[in-house]
Amino acid sequence: MPIIDAQVHVYERNHPGRPWVDALAGPPEVTGDQMVAAMDEVGVDGALLVSVHSMYRYDASYAVQEHAKHPKRFALIKPVDPHDPGVAETIAAWKAQPGTVGIRVMMRQDVSTDPGDPGLGRVLAAAAQHGLALNLLAYGRLPQVLEMAKLYPDTQIVIDHLGLPQPFHPPAPEQPWAALPDLLALAACPNVAVKITGAGTLAKTPYPYPDIWPQLARIFEAFGLERCCWGTDWTRAVALLTYRQGVDAFRLNERLSESDKAMLMGGAVSRVYGWSPG
């Protein structure tokens, strides 16, 4: 089973031709070539390439450009705007883009807290119609997501980053697992999966982060490993761990059997997103 990172970002240096909207914690640039080199160094076969919302908002052109250079290594996920009346058409056009496997909504303060919000509904319905996984950054909004998942049972929803606020710099939050019960409640919905991305950034102990494993075990038991997609959230995590540490904390972990690792570190992504590298 190939090793697939469920979330990485690439971006070029800020320049007038493709200016950043905001900065992202990380190196000055991480090109597609640099990301593939980092993956090759540690034996990661493929990755879900998520266009960076903080820098580029809804313009996924750089991610598309870098995917075209490495089509066997990356699949594509694009943020979409639930406030846009034409979002369904945007999603249909995105589906036609080679390499696409998903869309993403950043559920921040400007996004409605109503599970039945028409804008969110258009996104959920279009994702199901076009067979795209809907990735949700939903810190503090997991009870709302539970109701959305019930309203749209045919939509594959994926919770970004364990559904938990994660730091950009040390230290870990004081209570990093406070919202874990809300995440576990989502396991009752068969159309919800969870990205086990950035987990090492929640650790209060050094690599290989032994303090995160009791909580991760609860998530694995609730969802089943076939709905748990390991990943690093590179490059957001660079100030907290190396790419190798993000990989090896799972790949070398004796708590997991080889079959567990195969599902968690690749099989689940292939099942949820319908994609494998190469």
Side-chain angles (χ1 to χ4, degrees):
M1 184 67 70
I3 297 179
I4 306 172
D5 192 329
Q7 180 154 329
V8 302
H9 299 297
V10 298
Y11 52 91
E12 58 187 344
R13 292 176 185 268
N14 195 11
H15 67 88
R18 192 183 278 114
W20 296 358
V21 178
D22 293 309
L24 177 73
E29 69 173 5
V30 180
T31 66
D33 289 346
Q34 291 169 337
M35 190 67 242
V36 168
M39 292 159 58
D40 286 344
E41 184 177 351
V42 298
V44 171
D45 299 293
L48 304 186
L49 183 54
V50 181
S51 181
V52 189
H53 180 267
S54 60
M55 290 174 171
Y56 299 133
R57 292 299 189 265
Y58 305 108
D59 175 11
S61 59
Y62 185 70
V64 169
Q65 171 188 305
E66 297 307 287
H67 169 268
K69 297 177 183 177
H70 305 281
K72 296 183 179 181
R73 304 300 296 277
F74 294 133
L76 287 168
I77 296 173
K78 165 189 167 66
V80 298
D81 183 3
H83 298 106
D84 178 8
V87 70
E89 289 75 20
T90 296
I91 294 169
W94 181 242
K95 172 65 176 180
Q97 171 66 42
T100 60
V101 297
I103 54 175
R104 191 185 198 199
V105 169
M106 316 292 283
M107 297 183 69
R108 294 181 170 155
Q109 290 183 349
D110 63 331
V111 174
S112 173
T113 59
D114 177 9
D117 174 72
L120 289 171
R122 285 191 287 270
V123 173
L124 285 150
Q129 179 183 353
H130 297 291
L132 294 172
L134 172 57
N135 300 255
L136 297 176
L137 186 73
Y139 303 152
R141 308 282 284 271
L142 298 181
Q144 177 186 359
V145 175
L146 177 61
E147 298 307 312
M148 291 161 55
K150 293 176 180 177
L151 287 170
Y152 294 88
D154 295 329
T155 302
Q156 175 65 70
I157 293 172
V158 185
I159 305 300
D160 285 344
H161 311 330
L162 300 152
L164 306 172
Q166 297 187 3
F168 289 84
H169 302 280
E174 185 64 29
Q175 295 183 310
W177 303 94
L180 183 58
D182 291 335
L183 176 67
L184 297 177
L186 283 162
C189 297
N191 59 322
V192 178
V194 57
K195 285 184 187 173
I196 313 298
T197 40
T201 69
L202 299 175
K204 297 187 178 183
T205 55
Y207 172 86
Y209 323 120
D211 63 311
I212 69 175
W213 286 91
Q215 292 83 7
L216 291 181
R218 295 179 63 189
I219 297 169
F220 300 158
E221 181 179 3
F223 282 88
L225 288 175
E226 69 278 2
R227 290 195 283 157
C228 294
C229 302
W230 163 85
T232 61
D233 194 23
W234 208 249
T235 58
R236 186 269 306 175
V238 294
L240 295 116
L241 47 84
T242 67
Y243 192 58
R244 181 175 292 278
Q245 287 172 333
V247 175
D248 284 351
F250 289 80
R251 180 170 56 189
L252 303 181
N253 199 295
E254 295 180 355
R255 297 172 179 83
L256 300 169
S257 69
E258 291 305 308
S259 61
D260 289 343
K261 293 173 187 177
M263 180 57 69
L264 179 64
M265 301 187 73
V269 167
S270 293
R271 190 194 73 81
V272 171
Y273 291 90
W275 178 80
S276 291

